[in-house]
Amino acid sequence: MEEIKFPDIEPGQGPVVMLNLIRFKDKKVYFDEYIPAFGQVVKQLGIEGVKVRFVSEVVANIVADGQEQWDEVVLVEYPSAEAFMTIPQSEVYQTIANPLRIAGTAELKLIMTRQIDI
């Protein structure tokens, strides 16, 4: 699994929404163990405003590389890019949650987005 890359983001730019593309190794571990552990980490770090906005199973890949087979799409809002980046860089995440993420996912892509008004 690829390492998380931490982009240079200008601080104070408001909320970000992480697009999570997930292929499971063990869906039960992911939902029954990783998700509660992630919530525990967020609470321990004192980060408020983390919200799951959307969870959906993938029905079909319409325009995608044949190698890309995703099981679920999850959108999670964070109060800021800094808040998001604090989590995976923390020792508590690395100790409590990351081993469960690795055990539960075969492949994971994270894409940081910010809402724009059009």
Side-chain angles (χ1 to χ4, degrees):
M1 189 170 298
E2 291 189 31
E3 291 296 315
I4 296 174
K5 297 173 186 162
F6 298 100
D8 292 327
I9 301 289
E10 189 175 327
Q13 296 297 309
V16 295
V17 176
M18 296 299 294
L19 166 63
N20 298 256
L21 300 174
I22 305 166
R23 186 165 41 89
F24 293 111
K25 187 184 315 178
D26 188 329
K27 188 174 182 175
K28 186 168 177 46
V29 166
Y30 186 85
F31 281 105
D32 293 352
E33 298 179 45
Y34 172 72
I35 296 298
F38 183 84
Q40 178 185 350
V41 167
V42 169
K43 187 175 182 179
Q44 284 185 350
L45 292 173
I47 298 173
E48 295 184 16
V50 177
K51 302 172 191 152
V52 176
R53 292 293 187 193
F54 181 80
V55 178
S56 182
E57 70 178 351
V58 173
V59 176
N61 291 307
I62 305 301
V63 178
D65 183 332
Q67 303 294 78
E68 290 191 50
Q69 297 296 316
W70 305 108
D71 295 320
E72 292 199 359
V73 174
V74 180
L75 296 175
V76 182
E77 182 177 319
Y78 294 84
S80 66
E82 299 87 3
F84 165 76
M85 292 186 291
T86 296
I87 297 167
Q89 290 178 321
S90 70
E91 186 175 323
V92 68
Y93 177 84
Q94 292 300 321
T95 302
I96 295 173
N98 197 44
L100 297 169
R101 177 185 67 86
I102 292 168
T105 58
E107 188 172 2
L108 174 68
K109 288 197 179 181
L110 298 175
I111 301 168
M112 185 179 287
T113 71
R114 182 170 282 126
Q115 183 174 326
I116 58 173
D117 296 320
I118 55 171

